[in-house]
């Protein structure tokens, strides 16, 4: 795998705490695009951004329609919209039907990001209580991206990481506290 251009993270139940751990451990020099989709933050994306910004060493902002995916910044899927990455690396927001009972959907974000970045993408599935993210991670791997899954035994809600492993497999299945060091290793020269 070549050095990644982007990282996508997906989570649900237990996700905000997991995201805080991962984002807090990322090297602030990270030049990659970092996108996050969290179901439990879907009603309060602005509050989720504020919560994550307190833990992250990278700036955290809400993704916006037609804005470019920016490196060195964490961009969070907004409330009530699917977040898609277009081939020109700009965002599209969609109110298409829920996927896995969720909008924003991790599957939708992962699949669109995989089409945009292909083998230069790392997908990370964290704690969650449903199977959203598993199909998107499978597509990401099919297009040559790298899949990291939080080990289910380290997740507050193990259903989402277990579904990802069962349906997509993983290039790395590691405890929560090992994810940020692994991302730093994969992404920095």
């Amino acid at each position: 795998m070549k050095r990644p251009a982007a990282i996508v993270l997906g989570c649900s139940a237990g996700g905000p705490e997991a995201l805080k751990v991962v984002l807090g451990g990322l090297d602030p020099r990270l030049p990659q695009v970092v996108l996050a989709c969290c179901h439990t933050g879907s009603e309060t994306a602005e509050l989720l951004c504020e919560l994550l910004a307190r833990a992250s060493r990278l700036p955290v902002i809400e993704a916006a329609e037609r804005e470019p995916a920016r490196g060195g910044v964490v961009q969070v899927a907004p409330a009530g919209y699917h977040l898609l990455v277009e081939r020109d690396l700009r965002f599209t927001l969609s109110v298409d039907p829920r996927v896995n009972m969720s909008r924003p959907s991790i599957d939708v974000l992962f699949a669109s990001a995989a089409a945009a970045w292909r083998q230069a993408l790392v997908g990370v599935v964290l704690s969650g209580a449903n199977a959203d993210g598993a199909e998107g991670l499978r597509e990401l791997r099919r297009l040559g991206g790298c899949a990291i899954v939080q080990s289910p035994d380290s997740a507050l809600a193990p259903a989402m990481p277990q579904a990802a492993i069962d349906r997509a497999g993983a290039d790395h299945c590691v405890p929560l506290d090992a994810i940020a060091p692994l991302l730093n290793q994969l992404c920095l020269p």
Side-chain angles (χ1 to χ4, degrees), residues 6 19 53 65 95-96 102 116 144 168 187:
L19 279 174
E65 178 77 21
V95 291
D96 284 344
S102 302
C187 294

Side-chain angles (χ1 to χ4, degrees), residues 116-175:
W117 281 292
R118 304 187 72 80
Q119 72 274 14
L121 181 65
V122 177
V124 182
V125 175
L126 300 169
S127 179
N130 69 12
D132 193 21
E135 292 303 320
L137 197 68
R138 180 165 36 194
E139 180 66 3
L140 181 150
R141 291 191 82 206
R142 187 184 74 77
L143 293 175
C146 176
I148 299 173
V149 177
Q150 179 181 358
S151 58
D153 62 348
S154 76
L156 182 65
M160 186 175 285
Q162 189 62 58
I165 292 166
D166 293 345
R167 293 185 193 173
D171 297 294
H172 305 275
C173 181
V174 296

Side-chain angles (χ1 to χ4, degrees), residues 2-5 21-22 34 40 60 68 72 84 91 95 115 127-128 130 161 166 168 172-173 176 186 188-189:
K2 67 182 190 177
R3 191 160 314 281
V21 171
V22 173
V34 180
T40 56
V60 180
L84 295 97
F91 298 124
V95 291
S127 179
N130 69 12
D166 293 345
H172 305 275
C173 181
L176 179 61
L186 292 171
L188 292 172

